[in-house]
Amino acid sequence: MSTIIKKMKAEHIKRPLICAPLVGKTFEAIKEELFVITKKQPGLIEWRVDFFEEIDKTESVIETGKWIKENARGIPVLFTRRSNREGGQPITLSEEEVTELYVSVLEADIIDAVDVELSCPKEAKETILSLAKDKEIQTVMSFHDFSKTPKKEELLDVLKQAQEEGGDVGKIALMPKSLRDVLLVAEVTEEANRGLTIPIITMSMGPKGALSRLVGGAFGSAVSFAVGQTASAPGQIQIDQLEKVLDVIDASQE
């Protein structure tokens, strides 16, 4: 079991890992951003490579990823290309080329975990999952909906699917239309934790969803995404602010 999964399973996930996104468009921007992030010591760094202007140059991605790993001060790195269909940045690569990029990055041994969207084409998904398993690199099987929060049964099925397809972690990120939707995600998180064997990451996005980033760990969400320097999704909170809230929650559990 990797260090990441061990951390996620610790203490029933009452205090989630804090993950800071790395979204620089250029190598120089990434260097500056990583310097700021590592000083704040999050539990995980997510490199959102779909923000990277040279994503179509595999050698540049590999070299940059290697530099990130070497300068992350021991913080695990999650590699993510978020697709357009799930709220990511527009890129010039085809799905086949994205798969080729993932394969190259996995073979280069420069990351600790990789994000794989459940909506990813079946053959591509199987290729990435198989190689990640061979390389002992953890997989986060993710689902994002930037327009709404689906029904409870659908969300539970999504997390179950993530486990059944071989993901090491299941993730859902949803847009609430009301606070009731935020409560629904908390309910799904608690119930899924009782029925699944893999850690899960859940969140509501946007201003209303910020509450889920603060208290999601109490319901069983293994990770909360927070701003190291720049946000990668709506509703993310500054790391220092999130740390303060988590300290208060921890103290209340004693």
Side-chain angles (χ1 to χ4, degrees), residues 38-55:
T38 53
K39 286 171 60 176
K40 299 179 181 181
Q41 283 294 296
L44 187 63
I45 293 171
E46 180 184 41
W47 183 21
R48 280 287 303 275
V49 73
D50 50 302
F51 281 88
F52 189 48
E53 289 180 348
E54 295 188 349
I55 189 174

Side-chain angles (χ1 to χ4, degrees), residues 76-148:
V77 177
L78 167 64
F79 181 81
T80 298
R81 185 291 310 231
R82 183 67 59 235
S83 69
N84 256 347
R85 64 182 175 270
E86 298 209 17
Q89 301 298 300
I91 60 174
T92 58
L93 299 180
S94 66
E95 282 300 318
E96 291 77 11
E97 290 170 328
V98 168
T99 302
E100 291 172 2
L101 176 64
Y102 263 61
V103 168
S104 296
V105 168
L106 288 167
E107 289 180 338
D109 291 322
I110 56 173
I111 58 174
D112 300 283
V114 61
D115 181 285
V116 185
E117 293 173 348
L118 281 162
S119 63
C120 177
K122 184 175 184 294
E123 185 175 344
K125 186 162 46 178
E126 290 175 349
T127 296
I128 296 167
L129 288 171
S130 176
L131 181 55
K133 184 176 181 180
D134 289 344
K135 290 287 188 177
E136 297 185 347
I137 293 172
Q138 301 300 306
T139 52
V140 178
M141 298 286 285
S142 62
F143 170 83
H144 303 75
D145 192 325
F146 275 73
S147 63
K148 64 182 184 305

